[in-house]
mmCIF file of all heavy atoms in Angstrom:
data_model
loop_
_atom_site.group_PDB
_atom_site.id
_atom_site.type_symbol
_atom_site.label_atom_id
_atom_site.label_comp_id
_atom_site.label_asym_id
_atom_site.label_seq_id
_atom_site.Cartn_x
_atom_site.Cartn_y
_atom_site.Cartn_z
ATOM 1 N N ILE J 454 -38.122 -65.330 -17.785
ATOM 2 C CA ILE J 454 -38.198 -66.363 -18.821
ATOM 3 C C ILE J 454 -38.365 -65.664 -20.161
ATOM 4 O O ILE J 454 -39.012 -64.608 -20.245
ATOM 5 C CB ILE J 454 -39.366 -67.330 -18.515
ATOM 6 C CG1 ILE J 454 -39.204 -68.636 -19.258
ATOM 7 C CG2 ILE J 454 -40.703 -66.707 -18.830
ATOM 8 C CD1 ILE J 454 -40.072 -69.732 -18.700
ATOM 9 N N ALA J 455 -37.729 -66.177 -21.206
ATOM 10 C CA ALA J 455 -37.805 -65.544 -22.525
ATOM 11 C C ALA J 455 -37.688 -66.609 -23.602
ATOM 12 O O ALA J 455 -36.744 -67.409 -23.607
ATOM 13 C CB ALA J 455 -36.703 -64.492 -22.677
ATOM 14 N N TRP J 456 -38.653 -66.609 -24.522
ATOM 15 C CA TRP J 456 -38.645 -67.535 -25.658
ATOM 16 C C TRP J 456 -37.867 -66.886 -26.792
ATOM 17 O O TRP J 456 -38.005 -65.696 -27.049
ATOM 18 C CB TRP J 456 -40.086 -67.828 -26.110
ATOM 19 C CG TRP J 456 -40.232 -69.125 -26.868
ATOM 20 C CD1 TRP J 456 -39.624 -69.459 -28.024
ATOM 21 C CD2 TRP J 456 -41.034 -70.253 -26.509
ATOM 22 N NE1 TRP J 456 -39.987 -70.715 -28.431
ATOM 23 C CE2 TRP J 456 -40.861 -71.227 -27.518
ATOM 24 C CE3 TRP J 456 -41.905 -70.536 -25.449
ATOM 25 C CZ2 TRP J 456 -41.517 -72.460 -27.498
ATOM 26 C CZ3 TRP J 456 -42.546 -71.757 -25.432
ATOM 27 C CH2 TRP J 456 -42.354 -72.718 -26.432
ATOM 28 N N ASN J 457 -37.040 -67.701 -27.456
ATOM 29 C CA ASN J 457 -36.230 -67.180 -28.556
ATOM 30 C C ASN J 457 -37.134 -66.664 -29.667
ATOM 31 O O ASN J 457 -38.014 -67.382 -30.149
ATOM 32 C CB ASN J 457 -35.319 -68.288 -29.086
ATOM 33 C CG ASN J 457 -34.222 -67.752 -29.977
ATOM 34 O OD1 ASN J 457 -34.477 -66.934 -30.850
ATOM 35 N ND2 ASN J 457 -33.003 -68.228 -29.764
ATOM 36 N N PRO J 458 -36.954 -65.375 -30.101
ATOM 37 C CA PRO J 458 -37.859 -64.817 -31.112
ATOM 38 C C PRO J 458 -37.632 -65.356 -32.522
ATOM 39 O O PRO J 458 -38.457 -65.112 -33.409
ATOM 40 C CB PRO J 458 -37.555 -63.313 -31.043
ATOM 41 C CG PRO J 458 -36.164 -63.218 -30.533
ATOM 42 C CD PRO J 458 -35.982 -64.382 -29.599
ATOM 43 N N ASN J 459 -36.549 -66.084 -32.743
ATOM 44 C CA ASN J 459 -36.295 -66.656 -34.076
ATOM 45 C C ASN J 459 -37.224 -67.862 -34.272
ATOM 46 O O ASN J 459 -37.159 -68.834 -33.513
ATOM 47 C CB ASN J 459 -34.829 -67.083 -34.177
ATOM 48 C CG ASN J 459 -34.428 -67.417 -35.600
ATOM 49 O OD1 ASN J 459 -35.277 -67.645 -36.464
ATOM 50 N ND2 ASN J 459 -33.132 -67.459 -35.835
ATOM 51 N N PRO J 460 -38.119 -67.833 -35.291
ATOM 52 C CA PRO J 460 -39.066 -68.956 -35.435
ATOM 53 C C PRO J 460 -38.417 -70.278 -35.853
ATOM 54 O O PRO J 460 -39.045 -71.331 -35.746
ATOM 55 C CB PRO J 460 -40.036 -68.446 -36.514
ATOM 56 C CG PRO J 460 -39.293 -67.388 -37.245
ATOM 57 C CD PRO J 460 -38.353 -66.774 -36.276
ATOM 58 N N THR J 461 -37.142 -70.246 -36.301
ATOM 59 C CA THR J 461 -36.488 -71.495 -36.715
ATOM 60 C C THR J 461 -35.752 -72.158 -35.567
ATOM 61 O O THR J 461 -35.158 -73.226 -35.756
ATOM 62 C CB THR J 461 -35.496 -71.204 -37.846
ATOM 63 O OG1 THR J 461 -34.494 -70.294 -37.377
ATOM 64 C CG2 THR J 461 -36.217 -70.571 -39.037
ATOM 65 N N ILE J 462 -35.746 -71.546 -34.397
ATOM 66 C CA ILE J 462 -35.025 -72.111 -33.250
ATOM 67 C C ILE J 462 -36.019 -72.255 -32.107
ATOM 68 O O ILE J 462 -36.770 -71.323 -31.800
ATOM 69 C CB ILE J 462 -33.851 -71.201 -32.836
ATOM 70 C CG1 ILE J 462 -32.852 -71.053 -33.987
ATOM 71 C CG2 ILE J 462 -33.139 -71.744 -31.602
ATOM 72 C CD1 ILE J 462 -31.729 -70.079 -33.700
ATOM 73 N N ARG J 463 -36.033 -73.420 -31.472
ATOM 74 C CA ARG J 463 -36.891 -73.662 -30.310
ATOM 75 C C ARG J 463 -36.012 -73.666 -29.061
ATOM 76 O O ARG J 463 -35.502 -74.709 -28.656
ATOM 77 C CB ARG J 463 -37.623 -75.005 -30.456
ATOM 78 C CG ARG J 463 -38.759 -74.991 -31.453
ATOM 79 C CD ARG J 463 -39.898 -74.132 -30.924
ATOM 80 N NE ARG J 463 -40.919 -73.866 -31.938
ATOM 81 C CZ ARG J 463 -41.955 -74.641 -32.165
ATOM 82 N NH1 ARG J 463 -42.118 -75.735 -31.483
ATOM 83 N NH2 ARG J 463 -42.833 -74.311 -33.094
ATOM 84 N N LEU J 464 -35.824 -72.494 -28.476
ATOM 85 C CA LEU J 464 -35.027 -72.385 -27.258
ATOM 86 C C LEU J 464 -35.731 -71.428 -26.306
ATOM 87 O O LEU J 464 -36.288 -70.411 -26.722
ATOM 88 C CB LEU J 464 -33.625 -71.842 -27.546
ATOM 89 C CG LEU J 464 -32.493 -72.856 -27.786
ATOM 90 C CD1 LEU J 464 -31.180 -72.129 -27.957
ATOM 91 C CD2 LEU J 464 -32.384 -73.861 -26.660
ATOM 92 N N VAL J 465 -35.697 -71.772 -25.027
ATOM 93 C CA VAL J 465 -36.257 -70.920 -23.986
ATOM 94 C C VAL J 465 -35.153 -70.642 -22.972
ATOM 95 O O VAL J 465 -34.517 -71.587 -22.468
ATOM 96 C CB VAL J 465 -37.467 -71.582 -23.304
ATOM 97 C CG1 VAL J 465 -38.012 -70.665 -22.219
ATOM 98 C CG2 VAL J 465 -38.548 -71.903 -24.313
ATOM 99 N N ALA J 466 -34.912 -69.344 -22.679
ATOM 100 C CA ALA J 466 -33.933 -68.959 -21.657
ATOM 101 C C ALA J 466 -34.667 -68.738 -20.345
ATOM 102 O O ALA J 466 -35.648 -67.996 -20.287
ATOM 103 C CB ALA J 466 -33.194 -67.692 -22.070
ATOM 104 N N ILE J 467 -34.196 -69.414 -19.280
ATOM 105 C CA ILE J 467 -34.855 -69.361 -17.971
ATOM 106 C C ILE J 467 -33.813 -68.902 -16.945
ATOM 107 O O ILE J 467 -32.727 -69.484 -16.846
ATOM 108 C CB ILE J 467 -35.425 -70.737 -17.577
ATOM 109 C CG1 ILE J 467 -36.394 -71.239 -18.646
ATOM 110 C CG2 ILE J 467 -36.122 -70.669 -16.230
ATOM 111 C CD1 ILE J 467 -36.817 -72.675 -18.460
ATOM 112 N N ALA J 468 -34.145 -67.852 -16.172
ATOM 113 C CA ALA J 468 -33.262 -67.346 -15.124
ATOM 114 C C ALA J 468 -33.672 -67.972 -13.797
ATOM 115 O O ALA J 468 -34.774 -67.733 -13.296
ATOM 116 C CB ALA J 468 -33.345 -65.822 -15.042
ATOM 117 N N VAL J 469 -32.778 -68.817 -13.240
ATOM 118 C CA VAL J 469 -33.024 -69.509 -11.966
ATOM 119 C C VAL J 469 -31.799 -69.303 -11.085
ATOM 120 O O VAL J 469 -30.686 -69.702 -11.472
ATOM 121 C CB VAL J 469 -33.285 -71.013 -12.181
ATOM 122 C CG1 VAL J 469 -33.545 -71.692 -10.842
ATOM 123 C CG2 VAL J 469 -34.442 -71.234 -13.114
ATOM 124 N N GLU J 470 -32.017 -68.681 -9.931
ATOM 125 C CA GLU J 470 -30.933 -68.448 -8.971
ATOM 126 C C GLU J 470 -29.756 -67.760 -9.680
ATOM 127 O O GLU J 470 -29.918 -66.694 -10.247
ATOM 128 C CB GLU J 470 -30.501 -69.761 -8.300
ATOM 129 C CG GLU J 470 -31.626 -70.429 -7.502
ATOM 130 C CD GLU J 470 -32.083 -69.623 -6.308
ATOM 131 O OE1 GLU J 470 -31.309 -68.785 -5.828
ATOM 132 O OE2 GLU J 470 -33.238 -69.815 -5.868
ATOM 133 N N GLN J 471 -28.562 -68.405 -9.696
ATOM 134 C CA GLN J 471 -27.382 -67.784 -10.290
ATOM 135 C C GLN J 471 -27.075 -68.346 -11.678
ATOM 136 O O GLN J 471 -25.939 -68.249 -12.150
ATOM 137 C CB GLN J 471 -26.169 -67.985 -9.386
ATOM 138 C CG GLN J 471 -26.304 -67.313 -8.025
ATOM 139 C CD GLN J 471 -25.036 -67.396 -7.203
ATOM 140 O OE1 GLN J 471 -24.003 -67.828 -7.695
ATOM 141 N NE2 GLN J 471 -25.102 -66.968 -5.955
ATOM 142 N N SER J 472 -28.080 -68.913 -12.350
ATOM 143 C CA SER J 472 -27.842 -69.565 -13.637
ATOM 144 C C SER J 472 -28.909 -69.147 -14.631
ATOM 145 O O SER J 472 -30.026 -68.758 -14.265
ATOM 146 C CB SER J 472 -27.865 -71.096 -13.491
ATOM 147 O OG SER J 472 -26.903 -71.507 -12.546
#
Side-chain angles (χ1 to χ4, degrees):
I454 199 163
W456 203 300
N457 194 314
N459 192 343
T461 61
I462 299 175
R463 286 291 169 89
L464 267 184
V465 180
I467 303 170
V469 180
E470 299 295 338
Q471 297 186 8
S472 303

